[in-house]
Amino acid sequence: TYFISSDKEKIHEYIKSQLPESWVEKITSIKNDMFSAIFGYLKAYLIIMIITFTEVFIGLSIIRVRYSLLLALIISVIDILPILGTGTVLIPWSLYSFFTGNIRMGISILILYVIVTIIRQLVEPKIVSNQIGVYPLLTLMAMYAGLKLLGFMGLFLGPITFLLLRNILSVLFKNRSLKEIIGKPSSNR
């Protein structure tokens, strides 16, 4: 690892010298687009985390829960983690409140969970699509396909895979439309 990292520039220049210039430009373009898309993807989930934090903080403050700021921060961080979500904290908390006889708290936490979940389902595709530059419907389709193919991690990997394929194809086909690529030449009659 040390030798590779210390000679990184030499290795990079050697590989670059072995490839045609057009390939180097395409690879560089794909790499730059992917880093931009991944940064946008991370930014989108940071925005979603902030929205969740705000919703939970306001909800817990209305319910008059002690340490609502700290709890909202913890819940929003858990919400971003794969497989986990706000339900990991809010549903058991609501059930515990019901079992201990605090029906008002149990119902309030359950309502907060439903509100947070609905808002997240509505804004997530739009925010992710805006940050990565893909239409919301395509983002939603990529998330769904990823979910079906790879399980929960596919929600995150689906859009990233879609971006990778889109960037590679756009570089290879020089932003031509599918119609231009597979279209037949017009015949003169």
Side-chain angles (χ1 to χ4, degrees):
T1 303
Y2 168 75
F3 291 117
I4 290 173
S5 59
S6 67
D7 291 336
K8 179 183 170 193
E9 288 301 318
K10 289 179 184 175
I11 295 169
H12 178 72
E13 289 302 319
Y14 175 76
I15 292 172
K16 192 175 168 181
S17 69
Q18 301 301 311
L19 298 173
E21 187 63 33
S22 63
W23 285 27
V24 173
E25 291 172 9
K26 289 177 183 179
I27 291 170
T28 303
S29 176
I30 291 170
K31 181 187 81 166
N32 292 341
D33 288 347
M34 278 311 299
F35 279 120
S36 173
I38 289 172
F39 177 73
Y41 199 66
L42 294 175
K43 185 178 171 186
Y45 278 98
L46 180 63
I47 292 169
I48 291 168
M49 188 172 129
I50 291 169
I51 290 170
T52 302
F53 168 79
T54 305
E55 292 169 338
V56 172
F57 176 65
I58 291 170
L60 293 178
S61 296
I62 290 171
I63 300 170
R64 293 191 177 100
V65 172
R66 290 178 49 181
Y67 309 112
S68 59
L69 183 69
L70 179 62
L71 287 170
L73 181 63
I74 292 169
I75 291 169
S76 65
V77 168
I78 289 172
D79 183 47
I80 284 300
L81 299 174
I83 300 173
L84 305 175
T86 56
T88 304
V89 176
L90 295 179
I91 291 175
W93 186 0
S94 177
L95 293 174
Y96 175 78
S97 297
F98 284 126
F99 288 127
T100 59
N102 193 348
I103 304 299
R104 180 190 160 278
M105 178 65 79
I107 291 172
S108 299
I109 295 295
L110 200 57
I111 290 170
L112 176 62
Y113 169 70
V114 169
I115 290 170
V116 168
T117 302
I118 289 171
I119 291 174
R120 175 159 181 162
Q121 296 301 315
L122 292 174
V123 301
E124 184 175 17
K126 179 72 174 153
I127 291 172
V128 172
S129 68
N130 284 346
Q131 294 301 316
I132 62 176
V134 177
Y135 292 113
L137 183 59
L138 291 175
T139 303
L140 195 58
M141 288 170 47
M143 291 169 78
Y144 181 74
L147 177 67
K148 287 298 182 187
L149 294 172
L150 303 171
F152 188 78
M153 284 302 294
L155 285 173
F156 300 100
L157 296 176
I160 290 174
T161 304
F162 175 77
L163 284 172
L164 179 62
L165 291 173
R166 183 193 75 167
N167 289 340
I168 290 171
L169 292 174
S170 70
V171 167
L172 291 176
F173 297 117
K174 298 178 177 82
N175 294 321
R176 293 184 303 177
S177 70
L178 185 60
K179 184 178 178 181
E180 293 170 336
I181 294 168
I182 63 172
K184 297 177 185 175
S186 60
S187 59
N188 295 332
R189 293 183 182 196

